Amino acid sequence: MIPAIKVKDYMQTSIASVSPDATLSQVLDAFMHNDSAALPVSNATGQLLGVITEQSVLERAMLASYHCDLNLQAMDIMVTPETNVSSETDILMLATTLKHQPETTTFAVVDNGRVSGMIRRKDILKALAAGTAACTRH
């Protein structure tokens, strides 16, 4: 059996977050300067309001560039995540969630009502690989 592995052991804590009134240009800049498939949208106190995925910003940026729409803001692009996790969530439980949400690639990590990080599908795979490697040592 894989030993208990928590989200906090594999989540990204150095994340870019954007405010709901960030412009499309600012959102695109945040994606270009960060290795993330999603950006949390949070208010001034760090409360998660939504998430902007690469896919959602790609679709909106294409339309905005075609129509020269310079008024698009993060709140217009973000989606409300189906699932948020805490840093104490077990990786195996999160992997099970992925089975039921195959389109989800990144989860916001929320502790005490504030965004504390993000965890990607790739991070979950790293955790599972480490867990299975631990099994072979026993």
Side-chain angles (χ1 to χ4, degrees):
M1 182 169 172
I2 295 176
I5 302 171
K6 302 290 184 187
V7 165
K8 67 182 175 185
D9 299 323
Y10 286 87
M11 71 184 202
Q12 299 172 338
T13 55
S14 297
I15 56 166
S17 180
V18 294
S19 66
D21 60 348
T23 65
L24 174 61
S25 179
Q26 291 169 322
V27 169
L28 291 171
D29 188 55
F31 269 108
M32 296 302 102
H33 290 94
N34 295 282
D35 180 30
S36 182
L39 294 173
V41 178
S42 56
N43 63 18
T45 64
Q47 179 184 20
L48 182 69
L49 303 174
V51 174
I52 299 174
T53 65
E54 287 175 327
Q55 184 63 38
S56 65
V57 77
L58 176 66
E59 292 169 4
R60 297 302 296 265
M62 286 182 346
L63 286 172
S65 65
Y66 181 79
H67 296 288
C68 290
D69 181 3
L70 303 177
N71 297 318
L72 200 60
Q73 294 181 311
M75 67 182 124
D76 302 319
I77 306 168
M78 71 181 193
V79 295
T80 304
E82 289 182 42
T83 305
N84 297 324
V85 297
S86 84
S87 60
E88 293 297 322
T89 300
D90 185 272
I91 288 288
L92 287 175
M93 287 180 57
L94 185 53
T96 301
T97 300
L98 278 173
K99 286 175 36 181
H100 303 290
Q101 296 177 20
E103 70 287 345
T104 303
T105 61
T106 307
F107 293 90
V109 181
V110 179
D111 292 311
N112 299 319
R114 297 181 54 151
V115 178
S116 58
M118 299 288 282
I119 188 159
R120 304 171 298 180
R121 184 186 306 252
K122 186 177 195 176
D123 301 321
I124 297 166
L125 290 173
K126 285 180 189 176
L128 293 174
T132 56
C135 289
T136 61
R137 290 190 293 263
H138 286 64

